[in-house]
Amino acid sequence: MVRKLSPMGGDRESTASRMHGPHILARSLSHSTVTDKHGNRWQYHSRSDHHSKVACWGVVFDLLRATPLLRRHIEDGTVFFGINHEMRDFVHDRKKNLDLVLCTRDGSPGSRTLADFADDWELDLSPAERRLLAELPALREAPVGSVLLALEAKACMTAHQRALPRLYDELNSSQRTIHGASESAIAVGFTMVNMATDYLSPDLNKKNRATDPDWSRHNQPRDAELAIAKIRQLPRRSRVEDDGYDALSITLVDFVNDGRPVVLHEAAPAPPPGDIHAYASMIARVSGLYGTRFKDIG
């Protein structure tokens, strides 16, 4: 359950207690919103980007609340956002679509805001979160000019050990493409790792889901620990000339994918508070980087 917050600016709670993104993600993915070609309704499907969009929305929501300079840039009409923006690595001529970017605009902004996408993507926001959203300046979608921050969200839901090489390569290629296109852009990675022992995979349950479901079984916590260890190997950077993510988080969920509610797993092996891969640490780091790196734009 999301804790009640005092008004923005007068909140004395810890940084971790102010984080809403993981709770929004778990609540929203508890609903079956993805329909496959066989008519099955899923909470999560690897061929849908719904989970990535919801995760990125939550990150931006928390970042807006944590970063006064970003709010000011939005109010001034300096910063906008783009969805599935293609970035091209100038050095190696690679290109990759990033889930969500914060940017300057290259043309007239659209009418849709971050709040509009909460409805478009069927986010399950609490009444308190809707009030907090209404207090924020309206972040608008616009044609992407210069990318200031790029977000990539990935999930490891099943067959953890077999999925790890691809998970690592996709995440690493994202940060390389971001920084190959713009050295100063903040590269942010959000990862979701499944802690559930049982999982209903959409790939294994197409026509047979209702009549003869094929369950995937995980050896937990070992499988999740393998995924966490691999994600921790991703490069991180502390200077703009280095290679790596500027901030990277790991969120654990108990996610069976059969209609049961998704539950955040906050005990071990989840990164503890203060760990560099904890979600709150990621938000705090990105907020600090934005405040120093882009203080002179606008």
Side-chain angles (χ1 to χ4, degrees):
M1 180 179 293
V2 178
R3 298 174 183 146
K4 290 185 178 180
L5 304 178
S6 58
M8 191 161 36
D11 186 2
R12 294 186 179 180
E13 294 180 273
S14 68
T15 302
S17 71
R18 293 197 298 267
M19 296 298 103
H20 293 264
H23 298 276
I24 293 170
L25 179 66
R27 217 182 301 125
S28 300
L29 295 187
S30 292
H31 303 288
S32 299
T33 58
V34 182
T35 304
D36 67 18
K37 65 180 181 181
H38 303 288
N40 297 310
R41 296 274 289 173
W42 297 99
Q43 297 160 270
Y44 172 92
H45 198 297
S46 60
R47 289 171 181 78
S48 167
D49 63 355
H50 179 252
H51 58 284
S52 298
K53 289 176 177 176
V54 175
C56 291
W57 193 100
V59 171
V60 173
F61 178 66
D62 282 330
L63 188 60
L64 280 170
R65 297 194 66 244
T67 316
L69 180 63
L70 176 56
R71 296 197 300 272
R72 194 182 80 203
H73 285 162
I74 294 167
E75 290 170 343
D76 293 345
T78 302
V79 172
F80 300 83
F81 76 97
I83 302 293
N84 293 329
H85 173 63
E86 181 184 284
M87 294 192 75
R88 186 180 291 272
D89 180 346
F90 177 77
V91 178
H92 302 288
D93 199 24
R94 295 178 292 211
K95 59 183 180 179
K96 190 173 180 68
N97 287 345
L98 275 298
D99 292 321
L100 190 149
V101 299
L102 296 182
C103 57
T104 61
R105 64 184 176 94
D106 184 22
S108 299
S111 60
R112 293 197 298 174
T113 67
L114 189 72
D116 294 327
F117 279 92
D119 295 327
D120 291 349
W121 296 340
E122 302 181 71
L123 270 65
D124 188 343
L125 302 180
S126 70
E129 288 159 352
R130 289 196 177 275
R131 288 194 297 272
L132 293 171
L133 179 61
E135 294 174 2
L136 295 171
L139 177 60
R140 295 191 177 278
E141 186 180 24
V144 177
S146 298
V147 173
L148 308 176
L149 180 151
L151 260 167
E152 181 78 322
K154 293 293 181 186
C156 183
M157 300 300 291
T158 190
H160 296 63
Q161 189 165 5
R162 189 169 69 247
L164 293 185
R166 181 177 179 181
L167 176 69
Y168 182 96
D169 288 345
E170 288 184 349
L171 284 164
N172 199 36
S173 66
S174 292
Q175 66 86 10
R176 285 181 170 173
T177 301
I178 293 165
H179 293 139
S182 174
E183 186 181 57
S184 64
I186 300 171
V188 183
F190 175 95
T191 60
M192 178 173 69
V193 177
N194 194 9
M195 273 291 298
T197 301
D198 300 325
Y199 180 73
L200 200 62
S201 168
D203 289 333
L204 300 179
N205 293 272
K206 298 172 183 176
K207 294 182 179 180
N208 63 313
R209 174 175 176 174
T211 57
D212 186 24
D214 186 355
W215 287 93
S216 299
R217 310 292 180 184
H218 304 146
N219 179 13
Q220 299 291 16
R222 177 183 175 275
D223 287 350
E225 289 171 343
L226 289 173
I228 292 168
K230 192 67 176 178
I231 295 167
R232 286 184 180 275
Q233 292 174 12
L234 284 161
R236 303 179 299 275
R237 71 174 190 169
S238 60
R239 301 178 301 174
V240 293
E241 60 267 26
D242 290 342
D243 177 61
Y245 274 97
D246 293 279
L248 178 67
S249 70
I250 304 169
T251 294
L252 269 60
V253 289
D254 285 301
F255 199 153
V256 182
N257 207 27
D258 68 344
R260 276 177 264 184
V262 178
V263 178
L264 290 177
H265 185 98
E266 297 177 302
D275 187 284
I276 60 172
H277 291 98
Y279 179 86
S281 298
M282 177 191 75
I283 295 296
R285 179 168 173 78
V286 175
S287 179
L289 287 171
Y290 188 95
T292 56
R293 197 170 295 177
F294 303 121
K295 62 181 183 297
D296 296 324
I297 70 168

